[in-house]
Amino acid sequence: MRRNAGLFVAISLLSGFGSSAMSLVAGIWILDLTGSTSLAALAGLCVYAPVLAGPWLGGLLDRAPRRPLVIAVNLMLAAALLALLAVRGPGQTWLIFAVSCAYGVSYVLIDAGETALLPSALSPTELGDVNGWRSSAQEGMKLVAPLAGAGLYAWHGGHAVVVLSAAMPVLVATLYAVLRLNRTPTERRTERGGGPRTGLVVLFGQRATRLPVVLAAVSIAMSGFTTAGIYAIVVTELRLPTTFLGVLASAQGAGSILGGLIVGRLIAARGPVAVGVAGTALFAIGCLARCLPWWPATVVGAVVAGVGLPWTLVAAVTAVQTHTPSALLGRVSATANTAMFGPLVVAIPLGSAAVHLGARPPLMAATALCLTAVVVATFRRRSTPPDETPIALSPRRTAGTGPASR
């Protein structure tokens, strides 16, 4: 189990480095080729938009062997990235958009596939810890990889970044191939079936998964909703240079790394719902602190919010892994990703519009919404039936996810 845990953390490091470096460079590259900031921003939208198709894409993971599918997706992603070597001028900008869309589709499949593979590689008691370590690894790469990617782009251009980023999924595929997975073939045959609606019913049909996922969705959506407000706080209210936004990003990243390292123990001690509630409350406190007219409070608020966000996300992912039948874990995981990250598509532009009311109203609104979610979840948690126990703790399910894990 320790070997598998180390492999999953290494997978998160490598995939996080490649994706973070390429996502930044794609925008810079389009901006250099076209001179259009709006086109450059669309590259990010291409990456996030496929998450809306999560319930449909996740069904693939329940109909095909999961490990071979995840390996194949990584190798196809590497091939798609290498297609960017053909970009020579503005006429090939469409290739960058196409590869960004491919990146987005691969994210959905790989994230859901990894979530589905974890219970067949680790014991239920290890899931929270490993999910937290993976979160810390990914956040750490968000601090390092963009700088490395931008530096390499400035030194040798976009093609050098393409080669580096394409190597990452190949290495990740190799690590997936050496994982040791258990199997329960009979369960997969008896529980298979249904379409996207099945994922929705399983995910939202029980409080044990519904509450953590909703809390994560609210927190993540509000992180996008408050982006423009934070910009305005720094530039308009505090009258600081725009470079101070980098300080806040680093502070939030440091908080996320710290939060990821300790969240597993909290989940083991208190459960996913309690940790999701605490994470959402911390994010609300972070938003409130960033409303204060004092820059150290803004930095502290960024750290606190950085701790809270991974708590909500890891709590939701762990709840899905431990309360979902293994045969449905692919589509339920993908549906959960859609529920948690899909609202960003709406929240970001709404936040950009709300900032016209002032810098602080979006942050205050986010605080109020998060605290409301905390109160509702706390009330619902107290009324959770005592027989709603984790599926992964059942002896019949601890062996793994069936032939799909091969």
Side-chain angles (χ1 to χ4, degrees):
M1 293 297 181
R2 290 289 180 182
R3 176 179 178 273
N4 282 344
L7 287 173
F8 275 115
V9 173
I11 285 170
S12 295
L13 286 169
L14 292 172
S15 60
F17 182 88
S19 61
S20 296
M22 194 63 221
S23 60
L24 174 67
V25 167
I28 297 174
W29 205 352
I30 292 171
L31 183 59
D32 284 347
L33 289 172
T34 66
S36 171
T37 55
S38 58
L39 285 177
L42 284 177
L45 182 60
C46 289
V47 173
Y48 280 108
V51 76
L52 299 176
W56 291 269
L57 293 173
L60 296 174
L61 292 162
D62 294 330
R63 292 181 174 87
R66 287 170 182 156
R67 175 158 55 178
L69 180 59
V70 171
I71 291 173
V73 171
N74 273 283
L75 295 178
M76 288 189 288
L77 175 60
L81 283 167
L82 291 176
L84 293 179
L85 295 176
V87 176
R88 301 293 175 183
Q92 290 83 43
T93 303
W94 66 271
L95 266 176
I96 304 178
F97 287 113
V99 172
S100 294
C101 287
Y103 238 129
V105 173
S106 72
Y107 283 161
V108 175
L109 289 171
I110 292 171
D111 286 351
E114 189 168 325
T115 300
L117 286 172
L118 274 160
S120 63
L122 304 169
S123 66
T125 56
E126 291 181 302
L127 287 174
D129 280 329
V130 175
N131 284 329
W133 298 339
R134 290 168 57 228
S135 175
S136 293
Q138 291 164 355
E139 291 300 326
M141 288 301 97
K142 288 178 183 178
L143 297 178
V144 175
L147 292 175
L152 185 58
Y153 179 86
W155 184 30
H156 277 298
H159 293 159
V161 182
V162 165
V163 173
L164 176 64
S165 297
M168 296 299 108
V170 174
L171 294 174
V172 166
T174 303
L175 295 182
Y176 275 122
V178 299
L179 283 171
R180 295 172 181 168
L181 304 179
N182 299 313
R183 298 180 293 174
T184 54
T186 55
E187 181 184 342
R188 181 171 175 81
R189 285 196 297 268
T190 57
E191 294 187 12
R192 177 181 172 182
R197 184 176 178 275
T198 303
L200 289 168
V201 170
V202 174
L203 180 64
F204 293 105
Q206 52 183 342
R207 291 191 181 102
T209 51
R210 181 172 66 247
L211 291 181
V213 168
V214 170
L215 288 166
V218 170
S219 300
I220 293 170
M222 291 303 97
S223 71
F225 181 76
T226 56
T227 298
I230 293 169
Y231 289 173
I233 288 284
V234 170
V235 176
T236 306
E237 301 294 327
L238 298 177
R239 299 187 182 280
L240 294 169
T242 54
T243 51
F244 188 75
L245 292 168
V247 175
L248 293 184
S250 296
Q252 183 165 332
S256 295
I257 293 172
L258 175 63
L261 292 175
I262 63 178
V263 66
R265 294 182 182 179
L266 293 174
I267 290 174
R270 306 297 298 177
V273 177
V275 173
V277 167
T280 304
L282 283 176
F283 181 77
I285 293 169
C287 289
L288 198 59
R290 283 181 281 193
C291 290
L292 299 176
W294 190 42
W295 72 261
T298 305
V299 175
V300 171
V303 174
V304 172
V307 173
L309 274 178
W311 283 13
T312 63
L313 179 59
V314 173
V317 170
T318 304
V320 168
Q321 290 168 335
T322 54
H323 291 86
T324 301
S326 61
L328 302 175
L329 199 45
R331 75 193 73 185
V332 175
S333 299
T335 302
N337 284 341
T338 299
M340 291 187 290
F341 293 99
L344 280 172
V345 177
V346 177
I348 292 174
L350 282 179
S352 298
V355 80
H356 292 292
L357 300 175
R360 291 185 176 86
L363 291 162
M364 298 297 293
T367 300
L369 186 56
C370 287
L371 292 180
T372 300
V374 165
V375 171
V376 172
T378 301
F379 175 78
R380 295 288 186 182
R381 177 172 173 250
R382 290 176 180 173
S383 60
T384 299
D387 60 340
E388 198 168 278
T389 54
I391 288 174
L393 297 181
S394 170
R396 185 170 64 89
R397 299 184 188 273
T398 54
T401 58
S405 301
R406 292 198 302 269

